[in-house]
Amino acid sequence: MFNTQEVLETIDMIEREHLDIRTVTMGISLLPCIRGTAKETARLVYDTICKKAENIVKVANDLSREYGIPIVNKRVSVTPASIICAPFSRDSAAIGKALDDAAKTVGVDFLGGYTALVHKGMADYERDFIQSIPEVLSTTDRLCSSVNVGSSKSGINMDAVALMGETVLRTAQLTADQDGYGCAKLVVFCNAVEDNPFMAGAFHGIGESGTVINVGVSGPGVVEAAVRAAGTDKDLGEIAEVVKRTSFKITRAGQLIAREAAKRLNAEFGIVDLSLAPTPERGDSVAAILEAFGLESVGTHGTTACLAMLNDAVKKGGIMASSRVGGLSGAFIPLSEDIGMIEAAERGSINMDKLEAMTAVCSVGLDMIAIPGDTPASTISAIIADEAAIGMINNKTTAVRVIPVPGKGVGDEVNFGGLMGRAPVIPVHKDSSAVFISRGGLIPAPVHSNKN
């Protein structure tokens, strides 16, 4: 139970420090929907989602009103669609349309799971499916897509990495009238997790039960306020304790909502994801937390160390509060969705190389980064390979969500609005990686993968 002081602290967190439940996400298994034709399967996919998720928006709104905690997004994730489309892979777009139509019918913000898992190999039906992604993302509104190209156990599938560079670029070209917005709905993973409630990378793992509620909690502003209130005379160990205690309180609020939502929606309670997910709103920034630690600007020397400490303290505090911690659970550093990151990039304090270094110690990767529209597909593939290597070697989830903005170059800005935010277009290296990418094959798993 919450005592009076905790209730008052929580109210203050909500009113002044941007505490919210970032998302209530319902995971739905679509395996029973598979039929021999795309038309039959699409009909069952649509009907299943509409039946199981028909009340998710109402329940989330009711809980928000009853408990006084804002619930920003209501979402659905589904079984990786490449599996659903396997019997008719060249008609995958029909399933994509059914998924998007279902998302609109039930009223969720996004639906994730137009996904392929090709970390060790790529069957013909999976290649067909991946090649459908640009068209599907350019003709749907709420559907999100992800592809897992590597893991610590299997290595990195470089044939899939090469294909994804082309897929990202093609998606940007097909959504050029929206500054490549389709790429904001496309993530390339290494070590993708099955219970991630956040978009664009959410999917419902085949190891999950039929219907599950996963909740993503967010509170960068709460953590920043706690750190600043602690003053400048605390050492870093003491600051870590402040973050742990704050994360504990945030997680308890998330678990309360998750359990109640699962009960009302006749679903299992899955996990609470502790990730500090920022927004473009001032006072809701992970970058600002790092600066509260004592950095003049995020991106300067010491940034990676501060981020590592933050990420670890968030996890420790959350695990104390709940035995159902999962998803990604760390600090997100999306460039366009964090006002502190945006401003650091605009003044040149942070670049692609520093962002890559930071991803070695946090969740989840190079996220929502606008790059020049004329960036070659092979360079995008090489960015994906670098990030996948960090995930593979460090046995953690990493991802790439870059947006090659058609017609724009370094110094220009792209604005997607809402939670997607805005971002300056930042440079990538000009030297070619084309020969490296064209080799294809499999980058072998590291020696520590042999644990059996």
Side-chain angles (χ1 to χ4, degrees):
M1 295 292 292
F2 288 96
N3 61 37
T4 303
Q5 183 59 35
E6 287 178 316
V7 170
L8 293 174
E9 287 177 350
T10 303
I11 292 171
D12 200 47
M13 289 177 182
I14 294 166
E15 292 184 345
R16 298 198 304 169
E17 298 164 6
H18 304 285
L19 172 64
D20 58 50
I21 304 298
R22 186 55 49 87
T23 180
V24 172
T25 301
M26 175 180 280
I28 301 173
S29 173
L30 297 182
L31 292 175
C33 299
I34 301 174
R35 295 294 185 272
T37 68
K39 184 176 180 180
E40 291 177 288
T41 303
R43 177 178 57 81
L44 284 172
V45 162
Y46 176 85
D47 290 345
T48 298
I49 295 169
C50 290
K51 180 179 180 180
K52 289 184 176 291
E54 64 177 340
N55 292 320
I56 185 173
V57 174
K58 179 182 183 303
V59 167
N61 289 339
D62 287 347
L63 290 171
S64 180
R65 183 173 57 255
E66 290 170 24
Y67 289 98
I69 301 176
I71 299 176
V72 180
N73 292 293
K74 302 87 182 174
R75 297 165 173 169
V76 168
S77 64
V78 299
T79 308
S82 68
I83 299 171
I84 309 302
C85 298
F88 41 81
S89 57
R90 299 203 174 175
D91 294 322
S92 300
I95 305 303
K97 184 179 187 307
L99 292 169
D100 194 57
D101 288 345
K104 292 173 181 175
T105 298
V106 300
V108 292
D109 304 279
F110 289 109
L111 186 149
Y114 200 75
T115 296
L117 309 177
V118 291
H119 39 281
K120 194 171 184 182
M122 189 163 46
D124 289 343
Y125 75 85
E126 290 166 326
R127 183 179 290 275
D128 289 341
F129 177 86
I130 291 172
Q131 289 173 335
S132 77
I133 289 174
E135 176 195 348
V136 168
L137 291 184
S138 67
T139 55
T140 55
D141 298 313
R142 305 187 189 189
L143 184 61
C144 294
S145 179
S146 59
V147 177
N148 192 63
V149 298
S151 76
S152 296
K153 190 69 175 176
S154 66
I156 302 171
N157 181 350
M158 290 300 293
D159 294 321
V161 168
L163 181 56
M164 286 312 300
E166 297 169 0
T167 301
V168 169
L169 192 57
R170 181 61 178 156
T171 302
Q173 292 166 347
L174 289 181
T175 55
D177 60 334
Q178 299 173 286
D179 285 332
Y181 175 71
C183 295
K185 301 185 292 176
L186 174 59
V187 184
V188 188
F189 278 115
C190 177
N191 289 323
V193 296
E194 297 188 333
D195 54 6
N196 167 22
F198 287 102
M199 299 297 169
F203 64 90
H204 185 68
I206 58 174
E208 300 282 320
S209 63
T211 311
V212 175
I213 292 295
N214 297 319
V215 165
V217 186
S218 185
V222 178
V223 175
E224 180 197 354
V227 172
R228 293 196 185 279
T232 58
D233 59 338
K234 297 284 193 299
D235 68 28
L236 292 175
E238 292 171 313
I239 291 298
E241 288 298 318
V242 168
V243 175
K244 282 169 56 179
R245 288 195 299 270
T246 306
S247 180
F248 176 87
K249 295 171 186 175
I250 293 170
T251 305
R252 288 183 69 179
Q255 180 166 268
L256 175 68
I257 295 295
R259 288 192 179 279
E260 191 61 31
K263 182 168 67 176
R264 297 187 189 187
L265 290 165
N266 194 30
E268 290 191 18
F269 165 38
I271 56 90
V272 177
D273 186 311
L274 314 177
S275 298
L276 296 178
T279 72
E281 188 173 350
R282 198 166 300 282
D284 200 24
S285 165
V286 169
I289 301 173
L290 304 182
E291 291 169 356
F293 284 174
L295 303 176
E296 183 176 357
S297 172
V298 65
T300 193
H301 303 296
T303 296
T304 305
C306 288
L307 185 57
M309 187 182 82
L310 172 64
N311 209 56
D312 181 65
V314 166
K315 291 177 186 290
K316 287 175 177 173
I319 288 170
M320 288 171 60
S322 174
S323 60
R324 291 292 191 95
V325 171
L328 301 169
S329 292
F332 284 7
I333 53 169
L335 185 54
S336 78
E337 298 173 0
D338 184 316
I339 185 62
M341 298 290 289
I342 293 167
E343 291 176 348
E346 288 174 336
R347 62 178 176 260
S349 298
I350 202 160
N351 57 28
M352 183 72 82
D353 291 340
K354 186 61 178 180
L355 286 166
E356 182 182 303
M358 292 165 68
T359 64
V361 299
C362 78
S363 298
V364 63
L366 297 170
D367 195 16
M368 286 300 290
I369 299 173
I371 61 176
D374 60 359
T375 302
S378 59
T379 298
I380 298 171
S381 294
I383 292 169
I384 294 168
D386 281 343
E387 197 60 29
I390 290 173
M392 176 184 71
I393 294 296
N394 291 294
N395 198 28
K396 69 183 292 290
T397 304
T398 52
V400 172
R401 185 164 50 151
V402 295
I403 304 162
V405 186
K408 292 193 175 182
V410 175
D412 292 329
E413 183 179 272
V414 59
N415 193 335
F416 297 119
L419 286 176
M420 296 293 189
R422 63 181 177 87
V425 178
I426 66 172
V428 298
H429 290 283
K430 295 294 186 182
D431 298 319
S432 176
S433 309
V435 174
F436 163 61
I437 296 301
S438 68
R439 289 180 181 273
L442 186 75
I443 292 181
V447 66
H448 63 64
S449 68
N450 190 15
K451 294 180 179 179
N452 289 337

